[in-house]
């Protein structure tokens, strides 16, 4: 479950991220995933996927903090 600073009264959202190689050359691409059930998703470092990452993080923040 995502953690909010100050026992739920703060503005900082803490979520678990896992980063691991994607494809045969990890110097070219990585996979980013949030394995927690409340924030579960997976994406890569391509421009399109980084936009998806941004949207997911903003969604999690809105859902859990705002």
């Amino acid at each position: 479950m995502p953690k909010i600073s100050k026992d739920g009264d703060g503005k900082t959202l803490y979520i678990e991220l896992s980063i691991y190689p994607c494809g045969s050359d990890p110097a070219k691409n990585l996979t980013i995933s949030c394995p927690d059930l409340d924030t579960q998703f997976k994406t890569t470092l391509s421009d399109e996927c980084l936009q998806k990452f941004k949207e997911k993080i903003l969604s999690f923040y809105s859902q859990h903090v705002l």
Side-chain angles (χ1 to χ4, degrees):
M1 177 175 200
K3 180 184 171 198
I4 312 304
S5 62
K6 299 181 183 177
D7 295 321
D9 295 328
K11 296 288 184 191
T12 302
L13 172 68
Y14 298 94
I15 59 173
E16 181 180 352
L17 289 179
S18 298
I19 301 170
Y20 48 92
C22 177
S24 60
D25 187 357
K28 291 187 178 182
N29 206 0
L30 295 170
T31 297
I32 302 169
S33 73
C34 291
D36 186 275
L37 291 177
D38 290 336
T39 58
Q40 195 169 28
F41 79 94
K42 182 168 40 172
T43 190
T44 66
L45 293 177
S46 70
D47 290 341
E48 182 180 321
C49 288
L50 284 174
Q51 182 63 33
K52 176 182 169 184
F53 177 73
K54 177 183 174 182
E55 291 167 5
K56 286 286 190 182
I57 296 299
L58 289 172
S59 173
F60 298 151
Y61 190 84
S62 293
Q63 179 183 358
H64 296 285
V65 176
L66 299 180

